[in-house]
Structures are given as C-alpha cells and as structure tokens.
Amino acid sequence: ITGRPEKDRKDTAEALKKAGVKYNKLMMNGLGDSPKEQNESKIKHAQSIKEKILFAIDDKQSMRNEYKKSGIKTKTPQK
C-alpha cells in the first residue's frame, strides 16, 4: 500500500525491489495527491485487507498510529 499515485507504479515497484521489499500486491493511491488523501487511501486499502498484512512500514508516525488503530503492526523504515 502506498500513497503514491498510479502513474508512479513502475518507479515504486523498482524502488521496492531495490530495497529488498517482497510483496504480493501493490495498492496505489486512487483518491488524490494531497497528504490527507494519500493517508485516507492507505487506511482504506489497509482496512480492506488487514487480515493479510504482516506489517506496515511508513515514515510518518501519524500513519503508523493509524495502522495500529486498525490492528496492523508497524515498522519504521531504516534510513
């Protein structure tokens, strides 16, 4: 799940591969470009598949808190 728009799918997939992140499905933001819409998109997607998510990685503490409220474990990305 990413806040990035669909037009960034290829770049996002390449960045995840380079970082060694394995995933089964990449869910892109379809709500809009504002930070609020990005966050709403992430939560909407996460709640729809939360039983399948092992953990969420997000650089924003506020988003990690939202994931936790939905019962999803979180990790802070390594810089």
Side-chain angles (χ1 to χ4, degrees), residues 4-51:
R4 295 176 182 185
E6 185 63 42
K7 68 180 178 66
D8 293 338
R9 180 177 289 276
K10 183 178 177 185
D11 291 340
T12 302
E14 289 174 4
L16 292 170
K17 182 177 180 180
K18 184 177 179 181
V21 176
K22 296 179 182 180
Y23 59 92
N24 295 323
K25 183 176 183 179
L26 181 55
M27 300 174 86
M28 307 297 290
N29 171 15
L31 297 181
D33 293 333
S34 75
K36 180 180 178 186
E37 291 167 322
Q38 291 172 0
N39 293 347
E40 288 173 358
S41 176
K42 289 179 187 181
I43 292 302
K44 177 183 169 192
H45 286 316
Q47 289 176 341
S48 74
I49 61 166
K50 68 181 177 183
E51 67 280 349

